[in-house]
Amino acid sequence: MSKQMMTLKKLSGLSNFSISTVSKALADNPEISVKTRNKIKGLAKLYNYSPNLTAKNLKERKTRTIGVIIPNILAHFFAKVLAGIEKEATEQGYHIITCISDESYEKEVKSIEMLANGSVDGFIISISKETFVKENYQHLQSVINKGLPVLMFDRVTNRIDCDKVVINDFESSYNATKKLMRSGCKNIVFVSPIHNTSVGLERVRGYKEAIEEELIYKGKQETLIIEDYKRFSKDFLEFIKHNKVDGVMAADELSGIYTMNLIIGAGFKVPEDIAVIGFTDGILAENSNPPLTTVDQHGTNLGSIAIKKIVNRLNNATETKEYKTTVVETTLIERGSTIFS
């Protein structure tokens, strides 16, 4: 008998047990005795039997697949989150289908529509910049209304009720800004390419809070915010001279390194003249010159948590409708772009 053609029905005939008993034995159902389970498993191994997962999934009305939509695969943070999602999904017995919105609302909508037609059991998504600008989240609400769970991570919106996994963006930015102040920085600029996202808004809010506290208590500091950091380069030298900038708080890794390069190109020293802190502990931050001090967002762990939460939601869909936001604590990694005592 061909091993490749082995089916549950044929295995039933070989073992002299019903199809139901064979199925339960292979699933380690305690209704079946250990002796019978071992006998059936031995035959299954001998004849190279493997269950028809497609048929099983159709019966259970599950694909055991999660759709993952991220704005940018080149950003180290999203790559780390994706790695955490992939690893944990495999351990949970799930597959993932990854789509990249490329910061486009249209691509995000098309990805949702394509996967929501029976391809996945739920979605993990970080919202694109364009979606935030349009403030249109109907595509997400639609799939939730169909019974497909949605989990948002990193970039989220309060206009959709669902599970969320985020970092403490406000607190992280606030603490990093305070750290620059304690190191002697008196004029700190905030640089951001993500000002129109939930993440960017929370990070600039943390920066502002730290600056405004200093202004109230000591009569120093003013908020200096650069939203389009690439335009910053045109009049950079004049800007930092006029504002006597001695510290930079960057909303992500690339803007931190870009700004640091502009500083050095303008003849200033990092960190002696101007100290720099960014977000995301990526390969670029670790290998820049000098290495960039960063807020580590623990992306791999965040991805792992996201999968656990959505799988738990899928397995307990009828038990609770209460949605929760999980906050992942960050860590400041001190490197050569700052001098802390």
Side-chain angles (χ1 to χ4, degrees), residues 42-67:
L43 278 170
K45 184 176 181 181
L46 177 65
Y47 287 97
N48 197 33
Y49 170 77
S50 59
N52 187 334
L53 292 178
T54 301
K56 182 176 183 291
N57 290 340
L58 285 172
K59 185 178 178 180
E60 295 178 354
R61 295 188 177 181
K62 289 183 178 180
T63 66
R64 299 194 72 80
T65 303
I66 305 295

Side-chain angles (χ1 to χ4, degrees), residues 256-272:
I257 293 170
Y258 185 88
T259 305
M260 189 164 64
N261 288 339
L262 289 176
I263 291 167
I264 294 168
F268 294 91
K269 293 181 179 179
V270 176
E272 291 84 356

